[in-house]
Amino acid sequence: MHKFWTASLLILFPIFVFSQSETNSLLNELDATLENNHIYKTKKENEIGKLKELLKFTTTDLQKYEIYGKLFGEYRFYQSDSALSYARKNLRIAKQLSDIAKVNTAKLNLASIMETLGMYKEATDIINKINIQITPEIKVTYFGVASSLYLSMSYYAASVEEKKHYIALRKKYSDSILKFYPTQSKSHLFTTSNQLLESGKYQENLDLLLNYYPKLKNSDTDQAVVAYLISQTYHQKKEFELEKEWLIKSAISDLRLEKKEYISLRALAFLLYQEGDIDRSYTYIKRSLEDALFCNARLRTYEISKMMPIINKAYEKQNETNHNQLVYFLVSATVLSLILLVILFLLFKQMKKLAKAKREISIANKQSLTLNEELKVFNEKLNETNTTLKEANLVKEIYIGRYMDQCSVYISKLDGYRRKLNVIVTSGKKDELVRAIKSKEFIDEELKDFYNNFDKTFLLLFPNFIEDFSRLLTDKDDIKLKSGELMNTELRIFALIRLGISDSVKISEFLRYSLSTIYNYRTKLRNKAAGPREEFEANVMRIGTNK
């Protein structure tokens, strides 16, 4: 049984971590969306500005009707008062056109925005006066507005009887949507989803909505609605992490489309408040209230105003707690600092006493048995160090002797070369003298011997340098040596760097290459580094050490 639970935890833990990571990523995306609010607001105002500018050039009532309808749509979830104004203008134009379908459509737009503003009586008066049989082509809009209106009225009913009455009316219009419209239509899908949610068929509702959601574009206003319905289904299933994830998606969609009349961000704020994320909760509920006031969505403002004091109180309490903790920390740090200062003062006095005692002991030359043991250990370590130093000095003597021999050989060769030139001059062979002076053969041979001797000496110091250096590159075969060659130019450059000569000017002088050539070699190999490029030469400096 214990093994079963252990295996279950091992399987479920990565899933939980991934879910947390996904939610945190979405929360960061939501925070960024809130921060970039001005971008979406500018885009929204530009769209409205274009329609208003277009209105100046309209010449017919039909064109005005179309533009007023679009302006109503832009303001519908953005600014309720403006939406109400354009709905009324649209209705006046529709009446002038004497088109009953357009009149009824304008009336339904007017009723829907009155619902947002809490003008239920005015909205129901409009709905009840519409004879939908005359304009059957707008039945879906009629049923949808009526269903939404009575649902809102049921939330704020004064008594249980009225609530039941409004719920029954809402169900009547919802059933009409399912009866008259195709199963593939948007209205049919939303109505079916609400009924599945209310009847407790949560998995069926998720199958329906999760299949539909990927078909929606980010610019579709229904994306936020579908995400919210999914979140509410997970809420009923008590899968609160998934509820939070879909609430975030819904809120992001609302904010990017610059909708001011919404539910998701407010619901998310309360959920985060329950989880203890007070800072985010306060930020989200504050933004929800600002948007509701801007939109003049009275019912949303009322709903938020009931939650705001609770979250605000928690936010203030958290700030107070943080302030108290900060004060406590500062006081504690101050007290500890004073205690530390006292300890340091006492320690300093004690150290002076100990120093005095040691001087007295040294003068009296009274050493205890313990001190003798410590000196014995110290002497052993000192002997080991001396042995190591002797070995190091021996190595130095060998290499100094080698370079002294080399210098002596060079002096002898130069003297021989001088005598040769003297003979040529004495014999009057001017042309031969010019050729000898111009020839680089002597220098090239000496450089070849010099570099060969340098290679032998360096590889004696660092016998594994080439292998260790190759391991620092992405491709170990990048360093290719010709037959009989101990090191090539690239290796000599980094051999000098290993010896502490990192200045490109000095390296170029030593190897007799141009400064740009040395730079190019260094850059080329740095770009092939297996690790971070900026650490490549530091890693070269560590070759031959235990680091």
Side-chain angles (χ1 to χ4, degrees):
M1 188 67 179
H2 175 72
K3 291 181 178 179
F4 169 77
W5 285 111
T6 303
S8 300
L9 284 171
L10 288 172
I11 294 169
L12 294 174
F13 182 73
I15 299 173
F16 173 76
V17 171
F18 175 78
S19 175
Q20 287 290 103
S21 175
E22 175 71 15
T23 304
N24 289 335
S25 176
L26 284 170
L27 281 171
N28 291 334
E29 186 178 348
L30 176 57
D31 292 340
T33 303
L34 284 167
E35 189 175 341
N36 295 324
N37 172 60
H38 61 282
I39 297 173
Y40 308 113
K41 185 174 183 180
T42 301
K43 184 179 178 182
K44 184 74 171 179
E45 293 290 350
N46 287 340
E47 292 296 324
I48 292 171
K50 288 177 185 178
L51 288 172
K52 288 181 177 180
E53 193 66 26
L54 189 61
L55 194 61
K56 296 177 183 178
F57 301 98
T58 55
T59 56
T60 66
D61 287 342
L62 182 59
Q63 289 176 330
K64 287 183 180 180
Y65 175 83
E66 293 295 332
I67 295 172
Y68 284 148
K70 290 179 180 179
L71 282 167
F72 168 78
E74 291 291 337
Y75 278 117
R76 174 70 180 83
F77 299 105
Y78 182 62
Q79 207 167 40
S80 298
D81 290 341
S82 296
L84 180 66
S85 173
Y86 281 108
R88 283 174 171 158
K89 289 179 181 180
N90 209 23
L91 179 58
R92 284 198 297 271
I93 295 292
K95 288 178 179 179
Q96 290 174 19
L97 290 169
S98 298
D99 186 328
I100 189 62
K102 287 183 172 53
V103 170
N104 284 346
T105 299
K107 286 181 178 180
L108 290 173
N109 287 341
L110 187 60
S112 68
I113 196 63
M114 284 178 172
E115 176 202 341
T116 300
L117 291 165
M119 301 167 65
Y120 293 145
K121 182 182 182 306
E122 293 84 349
T124 50
D125 287 344
I126 291 172
I127 291 290
N128 292 332
K129 289 177 182 178
I130 294 176
N131 184 357
I132 197 59
Q133 302 305 324
I134 300 175
T135 53
E137 65 272 21
I138 61 169
K139 274 186 178 181
V140 67
T141 306
Y142 175 80
F143 294 146
V145 172
S147 174
S148 176
L149 173 62
Y150 286 117
L151 177 65
S152 296
M153 292 175 71
S154 69
Y155 290 152
Y156 302 100
S159 65
V160 176
E161 289 76 11
E162 287 175 334
K163 187 177 183 70
K164 288 180 178 178
H165 174 64
Y166 294 143
I167 289 174
L169 286 172
R170 187 253 177 157
K171 187 176 185 308
K172 169 187 169 184
Y173 288 109
S174 296
D175 291 342
S176 296
I177 292 174
L178 296 177
K179 180 179 178 182
F180 286 101
Y181 292 94
T183 55
Q184 299 302 319
S185 68
K186 189 186 301 182
S187 298
H188 192 285
L189 181 135
F190 285 161
T191 304
T192 302
S193 174
N194 280 311
Q195 288 192 352
L196 289 172
L197 186 58
E198 290 170 2
S199 60
K201 298 178 180 179
Y202 306 131
Q203 193 54 51
E204 288 183 41
N205 195 33
L206 285 175
D207 292 340
L208 176 69
L209 296 175
L210 291 174
N211 182 55
Y212 181 67
Y213 184 82
K215 300 174 184 177
L216 297 170
K217 296 180 180 178
N218 291 337
S219 58
D220 196 325
T221 55
D222 291 328
Q223 189 182 63
V225 179
V226 174
Y228 179 75
L229 288 172
I230 293 172
S231 76
Q232 294 310 291
T233 309
Y234 279 122
H235 176 79
Q236 294 299 327
K237 292 184 73 178
K238 302 189 184 305
E239 296 182 29
F240 301 119
E241 195 62 30
L242 286 170
E243 175 196 2
K244 180 165 65 173
E245 181 181 323
W246 284 96
L247 275 177
I248 298 168
K249 290 179 180 179
S250 178
I252 290 171
S253 178
D254 282 332
L255 293 168
R256 286 181 176 172
L257 293 176
E258 197 60 16
K259 290 161 74 173
K260 301 294 186 182
E261 199 270 322
Y262 51 70
I263 303 175
S264 300
L265 191 63
R266 169 175 59 85
L268 177 63
F270 191 70
L271 183 61
L272 292 174
Y273 162 75
Q274 292 176 319
E275 291 182 352
D277 191 348
I278 304 301
D279 288 335
R280 271 200 173 105
S281 175
Y282 178 78
T283 300
Y284 294 168
I285 198 68
K286 183 172 174 287
R287 173 61 186 273
S288 298
L289 181 60
E290 289 170 356
D291 284 348
L293 291 170
F294 179 86
C295 182
N296 197 21
R298 295 187 182 91
L299 295 178
R300 299 295 179 223
T301 306
Y302 171 71
E303 291 168 351
I304 294 167
S305 65
K306 291 193 295 183
M307 295 168 53
M308 189 71 183
I310 300 171
I311 296 175
N312 189 55
K313 185 177 180 181
Y315 181 73
E316 290 177 352
K317 185 177 179 181
Q318 178 174 285
N319 284 343
E320 184 181 351
T321 302
N322 291 340
H323 175 73
N324 291 338
Q325 288 176 346
L326 180 61
V327 171
Y328 174 77
F329 172 77
L330 291 173
V331 170
S332 301
T334 304
V335 172
L336 288 172
S337 298
L338 291 172
I339 292 172
L340 183 61
L341 287 172
V342 172
I343 291 172
L344 288 172
F345 176 74
L346 294 174
L347 185 62
F348 179 72
K349 287 184 68 177
Q350 188 66 24
M351 286 177 68
K352 287 182 72 175
K353 289 180 181 179
L354 287 173
K356 183 179 179 181
K358 284 181 179 180
R359 284 195 299 272
E360 291 174 353
I361 291 170
S362 177
I363 294 169
N365 199 22
K366 294 178 180 180
Q367 299 177 338
S368 66
L369 183 62
T370 304
L371 182 60
N372 285 332
E373 289 296 325
E374 291 177 355
L375 286 173
K376 183 180 178 181
V377 172
F378 177 77
N379 286 331
E380 288 175 357
K381 290 183 179 179
L382 189 61
N383 288 333
E384 291 176 4
T385 304
N386 287 334
T387 302
T388 304
L389 287 172
K390 286 178 182 178
E391 291 175 356
N393 288 333
L394 182 61
V395 172
K396 287 179 182 179
E397 287 173 7
I398 292 170
Y399 294 133
I400 289 169
R402 174 170 290 192
Y403 276 100
M404 288 178 68
D405 289 343
Q406 186 70 30
C407 290
S408 177
V409 169
Y410 281 151
I411 291 168
S412 298
K413 286 184 178 181
L414 286 171
D415 186 54
Y417 187 65
R418 180 189 63 78
R419 287 196 299 271
K420 178 182 176 182
L421 292 177
N422 186 47
V423 169
I424 294 171
V425 171
T426 305
S427 60
K429 297 177 181 179
K430 181 179 179 181
D431 293 339
E432 188 177 342
L433 176 64
V434 171
R435 281 195 302 274
I437 292 172
K438 287 184 176 180
S439 174
K440 292 185 178 180
E441 183 180 350
F442 176 77
I443 297 298
D444 291 341
E445 286 297 321
E446 293 307 313
L447 282 173
K448 183 178 179 181
D449 289 344
F450 173 74
Y451 290 143
N452 187 55
N453 198 22
F454 170 79
D455 295 346
K456 288 179 181 178
T457 306
F458 181 81
L459 291 176
L460 194 61
L461 279 168
F462 303 99
N464 299 320
F465 177 78
I466 296 175
E467 292 81 0
D468 293 342
F469 183 77
S470 297
R471 278 194 286 271
L472 295 177
L473 303 176
T474 53
D475 188 353
K476 295 180 181 178
D477 296 330
D478 280 341
I479 302 300
K480 295 179 180 178
L481 297 174
K482 296 177 183 178
S483 177
E485 192 175 41
L486 295 176
M487 290 200 298
N488 56 21
T489 303
E490 294 168 328
L491 286 171
R492 288 189 190 111
I493 289 171
F494 285 92
L496 289 170
I497 290 173
R498 176 61 187 88
L499 292 173
I501 304 171
S502 60
D503 186 358
S504 293
V505 175
K506 291 182 180 179
I507 295 173
S508 69
E509 290 173 354
F510 183 85
L511 297 179
R512 293 179 175 266
Y513 282 101
S514 68
L515 185 61
S516 61
T517 301
I518 299 300
Y519 177 79
N520 289 336
Y521 273 125
R522 291 177 76 167
T523 303
K524 183 180 76 172
L525 287 178
R526 195 184 301 121
N527 290 336
K528 293 180 180 180
R533 295 176 184 177
E534 60 274 9
E535 296 178 10
F536 178 65
E537 293 189 0
N539 290 333
V540 172
M541 290 294 292
R542 286 193 280 270
I543 291 177
T545 68
N546 294 324
K547 295 180 181 178

